Amino acid sequence: MNQEENATTANPLKRELGVFGAVMMGLGSIIGTGVFVSIGIAAGITGPAVIFSVIVAAGLATCNALSSAQLAANHPVSGGTYEYGYQYLTPKFGFIAGWLFLCAKSASAATAALGFAGYLMMGLKISDPTYLVPIALAATALLTLVVLSGLTRANWANILIVSLTLSALGLFVILGVPTVLKMEQNNFIPLFDSGNGSARNHMSVFLHASAMMFVAFTGYGRIATLGEEVREPEKTIPRAIVTTLVLSATIYIAVSWIAIGTVGADKLGHAAQSSAAPLEIVAKQFSWSYASWWLSLGAVTAMLGVLLNLIIGLSRVLLAMGRRHDVPQFFTRLTVIGRTPWVSTIAIGLIVAAL
């Protein structure tokens, strides 16, 4: 056993997450801009066939996810891909993976914070852009404090946030079914259309949309990153990852069907280019006048969920890198009661706020 493994064994995190909590963490990481924005953009690229793009993307993500699940079950410690690079490839690959993850996902977290602020301001009819960054900073500070309070509280906060998002999307689908049936599937003809009238090869356009939707599924990796905090990881992690992907794919397909069936791929695609909330034009077609407001609330909570889960995941990778001395070792310090990597969490909160 090497020095880093000794450090992990002597100073481990608490195993608190069960299957339900891990699934909700995965959903909180995935259900974000993919469902609220990317579906609209992909519909503008490939037309009604975006529904099949979602299916192809989900299949590819599942192949990737099963590999991640096996790695996480065999090596259930914090760090995810960073640790797998060290264990199964070379330290150089692990080092590169860790730093790339920190850089890329810190930027993603900052984007999620700004997305939350933007959706909140849009819902509250605030047009003054000077409020955008202060609201994003406040959200980052609040969720950093939530993560600092321990994984149990962070998990409950995530469950609340994700539940609101899922209720908004569920209501969107339920209210949309009568409208789609009334349209008699006319908006799905022709099924394979570029959405912008161009004569580009349909397969190329379809794969372009599929690649875009694949990115929308990548949040399942957060479950693997939290491997050290999952109970019975050999059973829990594979079940949680597969369940998360099945639920996410179902939500994406249902939302795609309702959105395209209601307004058509062309209109949805144009809305995605001109609006940060293309699904809003769909919700305005429903009989219930508050549908678009409820959908806006779902978009706000979705961005919060993504931000919360990114802060959790980033802090765990920074902890793992501290254990292997790829960053200063003081990043491995844990709170006495909650066993939370408090230095890493504060550092990630500051980095995201700065970005």
Side-chain angles (χ1 to χ4, degrees):
M1 184 178 289
N2 60 33
Q3 183 179 354
E4 291 78 15
E5 288 172 325
N6 272 320
T8 302
T9 304
N11 207 21
L13 303 180
K14 291 172 66 175
R15 296 197 178 278
E16 303 178 65
L17 278 182
V19 174
F20 178 73
V23 168
M24 294 300 275
M25 288 281 184
L27 290 175
S29 301
I30 291 176
I31 306 298
T33 54
V35 71
F36 287 97
V37 179
S38 298
I39 287 175
I41 298 174
I45 294 171
T46 195
V50 68
I51 294 175
F52 295 101
S53 292
V54 172
I55 295 172
V56 169
L60 291 172
T62 300
C63 294
N64 195 323
L66 291 174
S67 298
S68 296
Q70 187 64 58
L71 287 166
N74 289 348
H75 197 61
V77 298
S78 292
T81 305
Y82 167 75
E83 277 292 327
Y84 310 149
Y86 261 93
Q87 289 289 323
Y88 300 109
L89 297 174
T90 67
K92 182 182 292 185
F93 278 117
F95 179 85
I96 293 171
W99 278 106
L100 288 178
F101 182 89
L102 286 180
C103 293
K105 296 304 180 181
S106 294
S108 296
T111 304
L114 290 168
F116 160 76
Y119 281 125
L120 182 63
M121 289 172 61
M122 187 162 50
L124 297 176
K125 309 297 183 184
I126 299 173
S127 58
D128 188 350
T130 58
Y131 291 103
L132 184 70
V133 172
I135 293 174
L137 289 173
T140 301
L142 176 62
L143 294 185
T144 300
L145 290 174
V146 170
V147 176
L148 278 173
S149 69
L151 188 64
T152 299
R153 290 187 177 89
N155 182 35
W156 281 111
N158 178 70
I159 289 172
L160 174 61
I161 290 168
V162 174
S163 296
L164 289 171
T165 303
L166 294 180
S167 67
L169 292 173
L171 187 64
F172 176 86
V173 172
I174 291 170
L175 292 173
V177 168
T179 305
V180 174
L181 295 179
K182 190 187 301 181
M183 298 297 294
E184 298 181 348
Q185 309 297 321
N186 291 331
N187 286 324
F188 293 97
I189 302 171
L191 183 59
F192 288 92
D193 182 26
S194 64
N196 57 10
S198 74
R200 289 179 296 177
N201 181 274
H202 285 174
M203 181 56 69
S204 175
V205 170
F206 175 77
L207 293 177
H208 179 187
S210 300
M212 175 175 291
M213 293 312 303
F214 172 78
V215 177
F217 282 103
T218 54
Y220 63 81
R222 207 72 66 248
I223 300 171
T225 305
L226 297 171
E228 193 173 326
E229 295 165 275
V230 173
R231 296 194 299 268
E232 297 184 283
E234 295 82 2
K235 297 179 180 179
T236 299
I237 292 175
R239 291 175 183 174
I241 288 179
V242 172
T243 303
T244 297
L245 280 173
V246 170
L247 291 175
S248 300
T250 302
I251 292 168
Y252 278 33
I253 292 169
V255 170
S256 301
W257 180 65
I258 293 296
I260 294 172
T262 301
V263 300
D266 282 343
K267 191 172 182 179
L268 186 64
H270 289 309
Q273 294 176 4
S274 60
S275 171
L279 293 184
E280 189 176 356
I281 68 161
V282 181
K284 287 180 178 178
Q285 308 301 314
F286 300 158
S287 57
W288 191 44
S289 58
Y290 291 101
S292 60
W293 180 88
W294 193 253
L295 185 70
S296 296
L297 175 64
V300 168
T301 56
M303 293 299 101
L304 270 186
V306 171
L307 177 58
L308 174 63
N309 283 282
L310 281 170
I311 293 173
I312 294 173
L314 284 162
S315 64
R316 272 52 179 180
V317 172
L318 194 57
L319 166 70
M321 293 177 74
R323 286 170 170 169
R324 292 188 177 276
H325 309 291
D326 284 337
V327 296
Q329 201 170 3
F330 61 76
F331 285 111
T332 63
R333 293 177 183 174
L334 308 179
T335 57
V336 176
I337 298 176
R339 308 297 295 168
T340 301
W342 65 273
V343 177
S344 295
T345 301
I346 292 174
I348 291 301
L350 291 174
I351 290 169
V352 173
L355 290 173

